[in-house]
Amino acid sequence: MKTEGYRHGGMESTYASRPLDTGERSRGGSLLTAAMIAALLLLLAGLFAPVVRSQTPGPVPGWAAALERTPKQEGTDSAGFTLDRTEHDFGQVALGDTVTTIFKVRAGDGPVVLLSATTDCGCTRAEFPKRPLRPGESAQVKVVFAAKDKGNFRKTVRLRLHAGGREQAVELKVRGTVK
């Protein structure tokens, strides 16, 4: 190998020059290439591998069973559940009072899961059970209204549930007058 030098900006520098192709092979490059090929083969094998799903025979306890689509049976209402009512009138409420009402949900011929209950303002909240309802069981959705401002009010609770093999939404309304 020969050493060459050059001068740039008042500084002298030397470097060793080597011919580009000396016939020497680097082992690091071939190992890296082999690793990349192996990774690519594993990736391709994973993409084309058959997908196998295990199926558990019989009912699965808990949420999975409740969310499972159930065949429609004769006599089942189209929604898969019933409500005792969808509106409640509190009448006159004193300013600063908190009033409560209960809406009853009854499962039809299949399981029902109450997913969420959202309200349209902070003065209203809804509470509901977190466990699935078995066919024929009932649950209570408790709606609480805090009277913070005078005047008429009409509040909506949007109840999301899974029943009859599909996700559904129903609106529960409360109204009244704050004196």
Side-chain angles (χ1 to χ4, degrees), residues 58-76:
V60 179
W63 288 97
L67 291 175
E68 188 175 272
R69 292 185 184 264
T70 56
K72 214 152 181 56
Q73 299 174 4
E74 275 187 53
T76 303

Side-chain angles (χ1 to χ4, degrees), residues 22-82:
T22 60
E24 296 175 22
R25 299 284 177 211
S26 166
R27 286 187 188 168
S30 63
L31 288 175
L32 180 61
T33 303
M36 288 175 55
I37 290 172
L40 182 61
L41 288 174
L42 286 173
L43 177 67
L44 289 174
L47 289 175
F48 294 107
V51 177
V52 178
R53 290 188 175 175
S54 102
Q55 296 201 358
T56 308
V60 179
W63 288 97
L67 291 175
E68 188 175 272
R69 292 185 184 264
T70 56
K72 214 152 181 56
Q73 299 174 4
E74 275 187 53
T76 303
D77 61 341
S78 63
F81 68 96
T82 55

Side-chain angles (χ1 to χ4, degrees), residues 99-111:
V99 290
T100 303
T101 189
I102 303 287
F103 292 92
K104 291 183 182 170
V105 180
R106 183 172 182 84
D109 293 337

Side-chain angles (χ1 to χ4, degrees), residues 51-177:
V51 177
V52 178
R53 290 188 175 175
S54 102
Q55 296 201 358
T56 308
V60 179
W63 288 97
L67 291 175
E68 188 175 272
R69 292 185 184 264
T70 56
K72 214 152 181 56
Q73 299 174 4
E74 275 187 53
T76 303
D77 61 341
S78 63
F81 68 96
T82 55
L83 287 165
D84 65 337
R85 60 199 156 82
T86 57
E87 287 197 28
H88 178 76
D89 187 353
F90 285 115
Q92 291 192 0
V93 180
L95 183 65
D97 280 357
T98 300
V99 290
T100 303
T101 189
I102 303 287
F103 292 92
K104 291 183 182 170
V105 180
R106 183 172 182 84
D109 293 337
V112 173
V113 179
L114 301 173
L115 301 171
S116 68
T118 56
T119 59
D120 55 1
C121 77
C123 60
T124 310
R125 76 175 195 279
E127 300 169 5
F128 60 94
K130 307 295 190 250
R131 66 173 182 75
L133 301 176
R134 293 186 181 129
E137 280 188 334
S138 293
Q140 296 180 346
V141 178
K142 180 179 175 182
V143 177
V144 180
F145 172 75
K148 296 179 181 178
D149 297 315
K150 287 186 177 184
N152 294 332
F153 66 90
R154 183 173 178 89
K155 304 299 176 183
T156 302
V157 175
R158 186 170 174 86
L159 184 64
R160 279 186 41 243
L161 43 88
H162 191 278
R166 66 184 193 277
E167 189 172 311
Q168 302 178 53
V170 64
E171 289 185 348
L172 307 175
K173 304 215 184 261
V174 294
R175 66 177 183 269
T177 304

Side-chain angles (χ1 to χ4, degrees), residues 1-13:
M1 209 178 304
K2 69 180 187 177
T3 305
E4 297 179 10
Y6 70 94
R7 188 170 182 84
H8 180 72
M11 295 180 60
E12 190 168 319
S13 177

